[in-house]
């Protein structure tokens, strides 16, 4: 059992959990994820690691309530425990000094881009961060991310905070501006990652996306998470989850993520 | 008296049938198909055994058993109604008899060497069924096993809780070592848990068998992915020896167009959802599974049969095995092929898919090509050759790809100095010793995908070698 030692409501339906998992905390790196199971009847879901503290032995995750499992998770509080919590899984992000890195996080992806922002900054990069959400209420981790960013932009779809519009609008302006961009790193909804990839491609800017396919085991034994990268099937859990965004078949990923839509709805209602 | 003795010696030619669930009933549930012998039948079957004596140069049932069970001896105990003694003899060599009695391909092992079975028109003694009977008797009694206490200070780490790891762990515990098994998944047993369905191996039985291993003093740590959570190098700092039994769990795909369409599963994903995650009980359990009306399962092994039979139980109208060779070359157990046929699984032989066609991202059709058999290949089986121009379309809405697995690369790729072959298997000597001092390996990670019992045999040999290594150290 893995005890919840911290819980915070970040936004409507977005919750942060600090989990007591010393072995995972000791090995975790930006870009890694865990597979967790809430209880005996539960399913295994992958969740990106948002933060980790090897000394305290804790791992932080941020979860958006979108279905039965994440809602079940949302009901838990400090002192409760998760039945299973395995990791850290996947390849860590390739962190080095690229020069100027633009980090883009959308929705709950904002929390997931945070460890990258920090690591890129600590590796000596100039970091520009763009975070976006539908409305102001859904913006999270603003202070944390701005602290490690040389430039920091906020967008909301409805203009309730920061710029009205999308993260891609800001990126477009940056790319057309004076400053050279050496790497774009994006975490968010598949459609957002697809748009960003299409935007940077003509500019020839290296772009990395952290993919979020459906997973079961998370250790490479089932291929449920397979994605098409450069025309080849890759297992996101062991070959990724980060890939060259210009090579990813995002339409296939979107279709595959709809595989169990009916069942997911049924589970939620049942 | 003489009359009675004569009567006693008349051995039935045929083995005693084991009762089974009716095919039409059993495809509606995941309950066990084969129901097991009762005492009377077990005794009668045991009395068929000729009690052959071991002679130089003559191969007997024992020689076909990878874990070296003294078969005639435990069978004799059954016929003499000494079941507790039978348990003791079985468990002296095999810690998981309830599993082996169910899933071993006995026709290729112990029963293949049975003297009785060599006679014309005679069946071999049903050794597997008798093993299962004795094991189930022991289990129902709550195990007669003595509790072992760790008596040595030396510690051994086992990576993977499949048949190889469980066997090595049990044997080392009995020798007095302090043993810890590390398992990546939340459930123990490896393929016994996620691969083999309930209707062949009830998970309650697996739980009891694993419980027995724990009773021997073995510690089991789940959710620990060796190579990620802890490295083998780190295990070597804490433990005196390490045994790697991580199996061949990486699924192969055919890499043909359309394979990433929705509705196409690897057998590992399909079976893991069903067996480990209990998706057949969705929505009582949270993991979903989707099976359409027309299911095609690609392959010809036991995993293919398991998947095809699971599909029927999940409500598929048609469950078709598509295999590129003929029935004769199928590596699946005879018994499982028969069970699948009884249940209504259709066999489309000498056929191979070449691409999948979809609609809205979902698989709708499969283009196949007919095959003919050529000369035998390296595996000794006749090589399938596509017949030009024989392509045809098959309507499908679900496909399960069951063409095999390769060794899981997680441990080899994160352990410096661990020698592997081109196929990704760990290189070991005949004792299971790997290229790093103190590291042993066995089972599918050293051989590629094989059988439960051969993995157990490897675990047994490695345990013996680890014991010798640690005693000399």
């Amino acid at each position: 059992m893995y005890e919840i030692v911290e819980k915070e409501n970040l936004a409507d339906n977005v919750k942060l959990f600090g989990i007591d998992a010393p072995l995972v905390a000791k090995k975790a790196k930006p870009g890694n994820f865990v597979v967790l199971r809430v209880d005996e009847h539960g399913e295994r879901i992958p969740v990106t690691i948002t933060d980790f503290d090897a000394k305290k032995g804790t791992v932080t995750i941020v979860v958006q309530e979108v279905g039965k499992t994440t809602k079940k998770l949302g009901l838990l509080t400090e002192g409760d425990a998760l039945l299973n919590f395995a990791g850290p899984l996947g390849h860590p992000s390739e962190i080095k000094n690229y020069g100027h890195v633009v980090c883009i996080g959308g929705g709950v992806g904002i929390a997931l881009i945070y460890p990258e922002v920090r690591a890129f900054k600590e590796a000596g990069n100039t970091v520009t961060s763009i975070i976006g959400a539908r409305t102001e209420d859904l913006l999270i981790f603003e202070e944390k991310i701005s602290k490690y960013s040389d430039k920091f932009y906020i967008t909301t779809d409805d203009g309730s905070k920061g710029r009205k519009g999308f993260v891609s609008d800001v990126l477009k302006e940056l790319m057309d501006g004076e400053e050279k961009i050496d790497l774009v790193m994006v975490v968010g909804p598949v459609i957002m990652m697809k748009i960003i990839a299409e935007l940077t491609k003509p500019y020839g800017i290296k772009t990395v996306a952290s993919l979020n396919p459906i997973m079961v085991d998370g250790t490479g034994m089932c291929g449920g998470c397979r994605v098409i990268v450069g025309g080849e099937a890759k297992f996101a859990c062991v070959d990724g989850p980060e890939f060259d965004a210009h090579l990813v078949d995002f339409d296939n990923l979107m279709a595959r993520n709809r595989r169990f839509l009916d069942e997911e709805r049924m589970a939620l209602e049942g | 008296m003489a009359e009675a003795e004569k009567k006693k010696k008349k051995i039935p030619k045929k083995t005693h049938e084991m009762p089974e669930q009716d095919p039409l009933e059993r495809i509606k549930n995941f309950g066990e198909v084969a129901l097991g012998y009762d005492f009377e039948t077990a005794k009668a079957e045991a009395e068929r055994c000729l009690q052959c004596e071991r002679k130089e140069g003559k191969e007997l049932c024992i020689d076909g058993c990878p874990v070296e069970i003294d078969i005639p001896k435990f069978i004799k105990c059954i016929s003499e109604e000494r079941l507790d003694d039978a348990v003791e003899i079985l468990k002296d060599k095999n810690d998981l008899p309830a599993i082996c009695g169910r899933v071993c391909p006995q026709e290729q092992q112990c029963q293949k060497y049975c003297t009785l079975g060599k006679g014309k028109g005679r069946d071999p003694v049903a050794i597997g069924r008798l093993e299962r009977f004795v094991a189930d008797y022991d289990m129902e009694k709550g195990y007669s096993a003595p509790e072992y206490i760790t008596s040595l200070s030396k510690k051994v780490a086992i990576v993977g809780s499949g048949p190889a790891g469980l066997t090595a762990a049990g044997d080392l515990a009995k020798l007095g070592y302090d043993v810890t098994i590390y398992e990546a998944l939340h459930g123990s047993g490896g393929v016994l848990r996620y691969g083999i369905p309930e209707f062949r191996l009830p998970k309650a039985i697996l739980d009891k068998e694993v419980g027995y291993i724990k009773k021997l003093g073995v510690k089991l740590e789940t959710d620990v992915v060796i190579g990620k959570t802890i490295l083998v190098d780190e295990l070597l700092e804490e433990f005196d020896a390490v045994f790697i039994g991580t199996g061949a769990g990486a699924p192969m795909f055919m890499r043909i167009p359309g394979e990433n369409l929705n509705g196409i599963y690897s057998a590992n994903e399909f079976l893991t959802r069903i067996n480990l995650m209990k998706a057949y009980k969705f929505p009582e359990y949270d993991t979903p599974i989707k099976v359409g009306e027309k299911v095609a399962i690609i392959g010809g092994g036991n995993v293919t049969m398991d998947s095809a039979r699971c599909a029927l139980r999940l409500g598929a109208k048609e469950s078709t095995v598509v295999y590129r060779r003929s029935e004769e070359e199928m590596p699946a157990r005879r018994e499982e092929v028969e069970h699948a046929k009884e249940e209504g699984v259709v066999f489309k032989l000498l056929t191979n898919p070449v691409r999948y066609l979809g609609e809205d991202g979902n698989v709708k059709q499969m283009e196949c090509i007919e095959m003919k058999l050529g000369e035998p290949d390296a595996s000794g089986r006749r090589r399938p050759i596509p017949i030009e121009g024989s392509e045809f379309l098959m309507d499908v809405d679900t496909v399960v790809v069951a063409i095999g697995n390769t060794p899981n690369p997680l441990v080899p790729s994160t352990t410096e100095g661990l020698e592997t072959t081109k196929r990704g298997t760990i290189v070991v000597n005949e004792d299971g010793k790997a290229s790093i001092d103190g590291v042993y390996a066995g089972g599918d990670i050293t051989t590629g995908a094989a059988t439960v019992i051969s993995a157990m045999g490897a675990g047994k040999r490695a345990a013996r070698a680890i014991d010798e290594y640690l005693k000399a150290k």
Side-chain angles (χ1 to χ4, degrees), chain B residues 36-83:
Chain B
Y37 279 159
D38 58 16
F39 175 68
E40 295 308 320
T41 319
K43 192 177 173 217
E45 182 66 22
E47 281 166 356
R48 294 181 67 232
C49 176
L50 299 171
Q51 291 294 315
C52 307
E53 271 172 48
R54 296 200 82 165
K55 272 183 216 150
E56 196 73 31
K58 195 187 175 209
E59 280 188 318
L60 295 181
C61 52
I62 306 181
D63 301 297
C65 175
V67 295
E68 314 147 3
I69 293 172
D70 193 339
I71 295 165
K73 212 166 157 192
F74 97 81
I75 290 182
K76 189 157 193 262
C77 293
I78 302 173
S79 59
E80 289 173 359
E81 304 189 12
R82 294 185 289 118
L83 293 187

Side-chain angles (χ1 to χ4, degrees), chain A residues 1-3 18-36 47-61 82-90 92, chain B residues 183-184 222-231 234:
Chain A
M1 300 289 273
Y2 303 84
E3 199 191 332
I19 311 287
D20 180 48
L23 290 177
V24 184
K26 199 176 151 195
K27 283 280 172 9
K29 290 206 171 73
N32 282 143
F33 67 96
V34 293
V35 166
L36 64 84
V47 181
T48 304
I49 293 172
T50 292
D51 208 351
F52 42 88
D53 187 329
K55 266 191 202 148
K56 280 201 282 182
T58 57
V59 174
T60 306
I61 54 169
L82 302 176
L83 186 56
N84 303 104
F85 195 81
L89 301 170
Chain B
E183 167 57 48
T222 55
D223 296 335
V224 181
V225 187
I226 299 299
K228 291 284 178 187
T229 317
I230 304 175
L231 302 177
E234 292 168 312

Side-chain angles (χ1 to χ4, degrees), chain B residues 215-262:
Chain B
K215 212 169 164 182
L216 298 176
V218 172
K219 282 161 275 183
L220 175 68
E221 301 278 348
T222 55
D223 296 335
V224 181
V225 187
I226 299 299
K228 291 284 178 187
T229 317
I230 304 175
L231 302 177
V232 169
D233 292 340
E234 292 168 312
L235 288 180
L236 284 168
E237 286 167 21
E238 199 192 326
F239 293 89
D240 298 288
V242 174
F243 173 77
I244 301 167
T246 47
M252 279 157 64
F253 284 94
M254 292 178 72
R255 299 180 182 276
I256 55 178
E259 216 171 14
N260 240 32
L261 284 164
N262 288 350

Side-chain angles (χ1 to χ4, degrees), chain B residues 21-222:
Chain B
Q21 267 202 80
D22 181 74
L24 291 175
E25 271 309 306
R26 72 190 190 223
I27 58 167
K28 295 178 203 153
N29 64 58
F30 274 79
E32 198 170 13
V33 165
L35 301 171
Y37 279 159
D38 58 16
F39 175 68
E40 295 308 320
T41 319
K43 192 177 173 217
E45 182 66 22
E47 281 166 356
R48 294 181 67 232
C49 176
L50 299 171
Q51 291 294 315
C52 307
E53 271 172 48
R54 296 200 82 165
K55 272 183 216 150
E56 196 73 31
K58 195 187 175 209
E59 280 188 318
L60 295 181
C61 52
I62 306 181
D63 301 297
C65 175
V67 295
E68 314 147 3
I69 293 172
D70 193 339
I71 295 165
K73 212 166 157 192
F74 97 81
I75 290 182
K76 189 157 193 262
C77 293
I78 302 173
S79 59
E80 289 173 359
E81 304 189 12
R82 294 185 289 118
L83 293 187
D84 290 324
D85 294 341
V87 169
E88 203 176 301
I89 293 158
L90 261 186
K91 291 227 160 163
D92 181 44
K93 298 289 187 187
N94 186 350
D95 291 324
L96 312 166
I99 292 167
C100 293
R102 284 172 167 83
V103 305
C104 273
Q106 288 101 2
E107 68 271 24
Q108 293 157 32
Q109 297 174 337
C110 52
Q111 289 173 198
K112 186 175 161 184
Y113 297 101
C114 173
T115 312
L116 186 63
K118 285 174 187 155
K120 205 179 165 206
R122 286 182 191 273
D123 289 338
V125 174
I127 300 165
R129 293 172 182 179
L130 292 174
E131 179 184 28
R132 170 186 163 149
F133 169 76
V134 173
D136 287 0
Y137 157 82
D138 187 34
M139 209 177 270
E140 264 165 47
K141 267 188 49 178
Y143 292 118
S144 51
E147 293 206 18
Y148 285 81
I149 296 154
T150 307
S151 57
L152 299 166
S153 59
K154 286 188 174 147
K155 295 168 74 182
V156 183
I158 309 281
V159 184
S161 69
L166 288 174
T167 303
D171 279 12
L172 287 163
K174 284 197 253 184
L175 289 165
Y177 292 99
D178 181 352
V179 183
T180 306
I181 304 180
Y182 292 99
E183 167 57 48
L185 292 172
H186 62 261
S188 57
V191 76
L192 305 170
R193 175 81 54 187
Y194 71 75
I196 301 177
E198 287 268 347
F199 53 78
R200 279 218 288 140
L201 175 64
K203 298 309 153 220
I205 287 183
L206 174 60
D207 287 339
K208 284 183 184 162
E209 295 276 73
V210 174
Y212 174 80
I213 301 286
K214 285 190 193 165
K215 212 169 164 182
L216 298 176
V218 172
K219 282 161 275 183
L220 175 68
E221 301 278 348
T222 55

Side-chain angles (χ1 to χ4, degrees), chain A residues 27 68 72 87 221-222 226, chain B residues 234 259-260 266 268 286:
Chain A
K27 283 280 172 9
K68 185 175 180 186
K72 220 151 77 165
M221 61 167 263
C222 87
R226 62 194 192 274
Chain B
E234 292 168 312
E259 216 171 14
N260 240 32
S266 74
N268 276 6
D286 295 339

